[in-house]
Amino acid sequence: MLCATLFGATLFFSGCHASRRDPRTVVFLIESSPANLDPRIGTDAQSQHIDELLFDGLVARDRSFHFVPALATRWEQPDPLTVVFHLREGVRFHNGKQLTARDVAWTLDSMRNGTVVSPRTASYASVDSVEARDPLTVVFHLKHPDNYLFTNLSTGALGIVPEGSGKDFWKHPVGTGTFRFVSQQIDQDVVVERNTASWKLVPQIERVRFAVVPDAITATLELEKGSGDVAVNSLPMDALPELAKRPNLAMEDTPGTQIQYLAFNLRDPLLSDVRVRQAIACAMDRELIVRTLLLGRGQTAESLLPPAHWAWTGAVEHHDYNPALAGKLLDAAGHPRGKDGVRFHLVMKTSTDEATRLLAAVLQQQLAQVGIALDLRSYEFATFYSDVTRGAFQLYSLRWIGGNEQPDIFNFAYSSASFPPKGANRGHYVNPRLDALLSDAAQNLDQQKRKADYVEVQQILAHELPALNLWYRDSIVVHNRRLSNVVPTPSGSFAFLENACLDHNEMR
């Protein structure tokens, strides 16, 4: 039977009172510390979400994934190998320094020349040079046409940093965003405050404290008693119905683009066999997990791209729940059951995040039915993420957040040029045909041809399964009613803080 953590009514008592704190500060509960607040380096969820408040890209994306001005007000492409960006006048970094084209050039060059070791480096392989033509004009000279360039220069994918920013920049990041960095205590909190000189808008919220609360039950209680103000996609699903009853709390949700996935290390002798990976996929009852662990707040996924995306296709090989087929695949791969019914052991690493650990426990039950003994190892997030990025795993599960809204995610996650530290191909998947398709899609100006490339890419990945796409989860924000105008984003970003309002005269 599928197990889930249940919250007793005793957890939701009315006798709690909010601890004394600054009523002008929003306490935002997050599961772990950001791994690195240098936007050139941090790729974990917390880093990306907070960086999106602190930094800006040259362009931004609207809700339809179209590019709109950000630090660049306009741009032109006089030929396929040249892109000219015209920067916004009067933009200043949080330290008062004026933004110029030299800052843009430094941001890109510091990743490309090794000043900082960045997992994003492979995303700029097409860039031959970046020229600061004058203080407000920056010119990208390309080695070959690159349809991914704008995606990789957009807010959320990259933030522009001041010229000279080096390896220690993460300790006190300085950007141009709507919020400015104040302090960080690892495994405790990150504090930001509104940027009153913001070029875009000045938030009504004066200060936000991102409080690290790894335990989901504790986070739930913090919200319930008023010592925490808001949490996004980090609470146990079975706590949501109870939280919805609390008079001091409100809940907003929207269909999400965040995708949970299960990754395989293809350098592992067992997992290098596609039949083993397909068997694991067939042994998972994803629909049951969505109905129970997610309380139906999600939908199963067959591709990294959101279903509404122009390049998405559902015409791929599906791996529905079929334990009998899983057994046949494992037999064919040369892994019969032993006398104890076990075919072999695998180790799955997880963080201490409650939802991930619960998913791992369910997966352990389901794989046991087909003779795979799954051993679970749980670590603090920083240790877990370090192991993942350096390939020290057999299995792990994480979420793609925001990055999968553009097809460059396939290049970032599966190209043979994107092994860490230059990208996120952590399982070391290699497929020359897929590389060729991604190269063509990056350079071809015909969108229909690009779509055909991406369709084949998705079909290859669905068959070979370097990772198994599990589900898209709804984006859910639970917040104290003293916060208003809270509009969740499909990616689960923290961008709603830019427009939210805070009644700091009343602690509820």
Side-chain angles (χ1 to χ4, degrees), residues 92-98 162 165 169 172-176 180 195:
R92 294 187 178 275
F93 287 100
H94 300 146
N95 60 5
K97 177 183 179 294
Q98 186 158 325
S165 300
F169 181 69
H172 196 98
V174 176
T176 58
R180 59 180 293 273
N195 174 18

Side-chain angles (χ1 to χ4, degrees), residues 28 45-46 48-50 52 231-234 254-258 399-402 405 473-477 487-496:
F28 196 127
Q46 311 302 345
Q48 290 191 84
H49 286 333
I50 296 175
E52 192 172 354
V232 179
N233 296 338
S234 61
T254 188
T257 58
Q258 284 192 16
R399 294 193 297 255
W400 286 114
I401 299 174
E405 294 178 347
R473 59 175 294 166
D474 292 353
S475 187
I476 305 170
V477 181
V487 181
T489 64
S491 67
S493 77
F494 302 164
F496 65 85

Side-chain angles (χ1 to χ4, degrees), residues 158-206:
L158 180 68
I160 302 303
V161 303
E163 182 181 11
S165 300
K167 295 179 181 179
D168 293 335
F169 181 69
W170 65 272
K171 294 180 180 178
H172 196 98
V174 176
T176 58
T178 50
F179 287 87
R180 59 180 293 273
F181 176 85
V182 175
S183 65
Q184 178 177 9
Q185 301 178 83
I186 302 299
D187 294 330
Q188 293 188 46
D189 63 18
V190 176
V191 178
V192 303
E193 63 185 18
R194 65 183 175 189
N195 174 18
T196 56
S198 171
W199 63 268
K200 183 166 56 175
L201 61 87
V202 177
Q204 294 196 34
I205 294 173
E206 296 182 27

Side-chain angles (χ1 to χ4, degrees), residues 47-293:
S47 297
Q48 290 191 84
H49 286 333
I50 296 175
D51 277 346
E52 192 172 354
L53 301 174
L54 302 178
F55 298 90
D56 298 298
L58 292 181
V59 297
R61 289 176 292 177
D62 63 19
R63 283 182 170 263
S64 300
F65 310 123
H66 296 130
F67 296 110
V68 296
L71 291 180
T73 58
R74 59 188 177 89
W75 49 86
E76 63 259 3
Q77 191 162 5
D79 61 71
L81 299 182
T82 307
V83 185
V84 182
F85 291 95
H86 301 277
L87 301 183
R88 193 178 296 276
E89 291 189 61
V91 176
R92 294 187 178 275
F93 287 100
H94 300 146
N95 60 5
K97 177 183 179 294
Q98 186 158 325
L99 170 81
T100 73
R102 292 173 63 91
D103 301 304
V104 178
W106 173 266
T107 301
L108 273 294
D109 289 343
S110 64
M111 293 186 288
R112 296 168 58 246
N113 64 22
T115 298
V116 295
V117 178
S118 170
R120 305 182 192 277
T121 300
S123 298
Y124 307 100
S126 67
V127 178
D128 185 50
S129 65
V130 185
E131 172 195 357
R133 180 171 292 175
D134 62 49
L136 294 178
T137 307
V138 58
V139 184
F140 282 72
H141 299 285
L142 307 181
K143 302 172 186 175
H144 54 75
D146 184 2
N147 291 317
Y148 300 143
L149 182 63
F150 278 68
T151 296
N152 293 318
L153 296 176
S154 63
T155 301
L158 180 68
I160 302 303
V161 303
E163 182 181 11
S165 300
K167 295 179 181 179
D168 293 335
F169 181 69
W170 65 272
K171 294 180 180 178
H172 196 98
V174 176
T176 58
T178 50
F179 287 87
R180 59 180 293 273
F181 176 85
V182 175
S183 65
Q184 178 177 9
Q185 301 178 83
I186 302 299
D187 294 330
Q188 293 188 46
D189 63 18
V190 176
V191 178
V192 303
E193 63 185 18
R194 65 183 175 189
N195 174 18
T196 56
S198 171
W199 63 268
K200 183 166 56 175
L201 61 87
V202 177
Q204 294 196 34
I205 294 173
E206 296 182 27
R207 180 173 282 226
V208 182
R209 176 176 175 258
F210 294 97
V212 179
V213 183
D215 182 73
I217 297 177
T218 302
T220 302
L221 288 170
E222 292 294 308
L223 284 170
E224 190 273 341
K225 65 186 182 181
S227 50
D229 288 309
V230 61
V232 179
N233 296 338
S234 61
L235 302 174
M237 287 294 183
D238 57 355
L240 298 182
E242 292 296 332
L243 289 174
K245 299 176 184 177
R246 303 302 302 173
N248 63 321
L249 297 177
M251 191 178 305
E252 325 291 342
D253 60 22
T254 188
T257 58
Q258 284 192 16
I259 189 168
Q260 189 85 30
Y261 67 95
L262 179 70
F264 305 107
N265 191 333
L266 274 65
R267 294 181 295 181
D268 182 86
L270 287 170
L271 295 170
S272 63
D273 191 327
V274 66
R275 294 169 295 186
V276 172
R277 303 195 298 272
Q278 291 172 343
I280 291 173
C282 292
M284 286 195 69
D285 192 342
R286 293 180 295 153
E287 291 189 356
L288 178 63
I289 296 174
V290 170
R291 289 198 308 271
T292 52
L293 295 191

Side-chain angles (χ1 to χ4, degrees), residues 328-498:
K328 292 179 181 178
L329 286 166
L330 293 170
D331 288 339
H335 303 294
R337 289 181 182 267
K339 292 182 179 179
D340 58 356
V342 175
R343 301 175 188 270
F344 53 79
H345 284 253
L346 290 173
V347 175
M348 181 174 178
K349 291 187 174 181
T350 79
S351 69
T352 53
D353 171 62
E354 182 66 23
T356 305
R357 288 193 297 174
L358 191 56
L359 166 61
V362 172
L363 181 57
Q364 183 182 54
Q365 295 175 13
Q366 295 185 342
L367 293 188
Q369 296 176 13
V370 300
I372 299 175
L374 187 65
D375 302 322
L376 306 181
R377 302 285 186 270
S378 182
Y379 304 89
E380 292 297 325
F381 185 83
T383 302
F384 161 72
Y385 195 69
S386 175
D387 284 353
V388 164
T389 54
R390 63 188 179 89
F393 65 88
Q394 283 185 299
L395 298 171
Y396 75 85
S397 182
L398 278 172
R399 294 193 297 255
W400 286 114
I401 299 174
N404 62 308
E405 294 178 347
Q406 295 292 340
D408 183 41
I409 187 65
F410 298 122
N411 185 68
F412 185 59
Y414 299 119
S415 166
S416 59
S418 294
F419 295 152
K422 295 183 177 181
N425 188 349
R426 300 160 185 152
H428 284 250
Y429 173 65
V430 177
N431 184 311
R433 174 59 181 167
L434 182 128
D435 286 345
L437 289 165
L438 291 175
S439 177
D440 184 70
Q443 301 179 51
N444 201 307
L445 299 179
D446 184 340
Q447 183 161 305
Q448 288 305 310
K449 181 61 172 67
R450 293 176 65 206
K451 181 172 183 177
D453 288 338
Y454 290 130
V455 166
E456 187 174 347
V457 164
Q458 291 167 86
Q459 291 169 338
I460 290 172
L461 294 174
H463 174 75
E464 298 203 345
L465 292 180
L468 174 62
N469 300 311
L470 300 178
W471 49 75
Y472 309 98
R473 59 175 294 166
D474 292 353
S475 187
I476 305 170
V477 181
V478 179
H479 62 92
N480 193 291
R481 290 188 181 276
R482 73 190 194 105
L483 267 179
S484 59
N485 197 31
V486 174
V487 181
T489 64
S491 67
S493 77
F494 302 164
F496 65 85
L497 292 171
E498 296 180 335

Side-chain angles (χ1 to χ4, degrees), residues 308-330:
H309 197 281
W310 60 265
W312 178 88
T313 180
V316 298
E317 185 174 331
H318 289 229
H319 302 281
D320 298 325
Y321 179 57
N322 190 336
L325 176 57
K328 292 179 181 178
L329 286 166
L330 293 170

